[in-house]
Amino acid sequence: MTILSNGHQWKYTEFLDNENYSFDKKKILSSLSEKEIDDAYSSISKWEGYAPTPLISLNKLSKELNLNKVFYKDESKRFDLKSFKALGGAYAVEKVTKGNNDIIVATATAGNHGRSVAWGARRLGIKCIIFISEFVSDARGQAMADLGADVIKVKGNYEKSLIECIKQSTENNWQIVQDVAWKDYMQVPTYTMAGYTVMMKEIINQINNEKITHIILQAGVGGMAGAMVAGIARYLDYVPITLVVEPDSAACVLESIKTGKIEKINIKRESLMGGMSCGEVSLVPWKILKSSVKHCISLPDDDIANTMKLLGNSSFSDEKIIAGENSAPGVISLIASCEDQNIKEKLKLDIKSKVLLIGCEGDTDKEMYKKLINQ
């Protein structure tokens, strides 16, 4: 298998250096504290069925790209939800309900976060209402209904579903469990991010004192990326080079880092990377990401299906990996960066590099997964 010599050009749209980059551990941990991070691990690691997800070596890919190692955190094995989101929403549900079973929780979602909230509510025996946009597949909606949630479809995009969720929750006194922060709504998204940091704790235990030189983080509203940066600040005594990757149709972190303030993107076409198709970075992660991310890269959808297929047929590693459409961007941005000499030098990607990628989901939408890998 030759990824780079078969004439295929791996595409990226834009690459940006953060001119305001400075990794200030103290500042990062003032947004997501050590105590919040430690509490999340302490709780989640005691849940029934908890086990660290695998950290797989993409040994064929690292050889091909002439890098020392490429690690892939495989979140397709996270509980039975097949996504890192299982760590966030369910943990936030546990925190906000504080053992009170009369509370009704509600959320708006494009899929994985809602499943986590529904699963977390079922775990605790409480009622859950979920708002999805008309663009969310029936299979994703059904997966949440199967977990006991009442699923309400809203006309329009994700933002419209969130507006409807806030409206009905306010009228009915439901507790909103959202992974997006806004003014006066910061605590729950902070709990959600604290849940995500469990991945970083597991990774530290799995790499056996090896030093990660680079970490590539997918961003939608920025929650996972911000949480992983906080995890670096909490658990590592060194700082890897961080690269945030987004769909080019919804590069809200990249555009915000460009100007130094939150920029809202008008999404004109929905990306295949549905979970990352977000028009605005959330407030809590923005506080962390604005100065602690070194580089940003945006991608078109062109290589998503092919990358999912290559992961699935063990072209990149010794084992087959079931990777959803939001897991592919890390791999694509790494290959595209290695193919572009200028970016490769800027990122200092070489034979000493040990790169960490986040395989943030498996086939959370089975129909979509089959369709894409059979293209």
Side-chain angles (χ1 to χ4, degrees), residues 216-277:
I216 301 179
L217 299 166
Q218 293 91 316
V221 296
M224 189 270 278
M228 293 301 275
V229 169
I232 290 167
R234 168 70 186 95
Y235 296 121
L236 295 183
D237 53 5
Y238 60 91
V239 182
I241 291 169
T242 46
L243 177 70
V244 159
V245 57
E246 299 170 282
D248 57 8
S249 56
C252 59
V253 174
L254 184 147
E255 293 301 335
S256 301
I257 281 179
K258 209 181 269 183
T259 62
K261 64 183 203 307
I262 292 180
E263 296 293 345
K264 200 167 180 184
I265 306 288
N266 180 18
I267 299 172
K268 294 189 171 66
R269 62 180 161 81
E270 284 296 326
S271 168
L272 268 181
M273 303 168 253
M276 297 164 65
S277 190

Side-chain angles (χ1 to χ4, degrees), residues 321-341:
I321 297 170
I322 295 176
E325 54 275 19
N326 298 299
S327 288
V331 177
I332 297 166
S333 50
L334 176 61
I335 299 171
S337 297
C338 286
E339 280 192 340
D340 185 308
Q341 209 45 45

Side-chain angles (χ1 to χ4, degrees), residues 88-90 92-93 96 105-108 113 117 175-179 185 188 192:
V93 169
V96 299
V105 293
T107 193
H113 171 70
V117 171
Q175 172 67 57
I176 300 172
V177 181
Q178 208 58 45
D179 52 350
Y185 186 79
V188 178
T192 306

Side-chain angles (χ1 to χ4, degrees), residues 162-177:
L162 179 57
I163 290 164
E164 190 59 29
C165 173
I166 294 167
K167 178 178 167 283
Q168 290 199 33
S169 298
T170 308
E171 286 166 4
N172 295 298
N173 204 18
W174 299 333
Q175 172 67 57
I176 300 172
V177 181

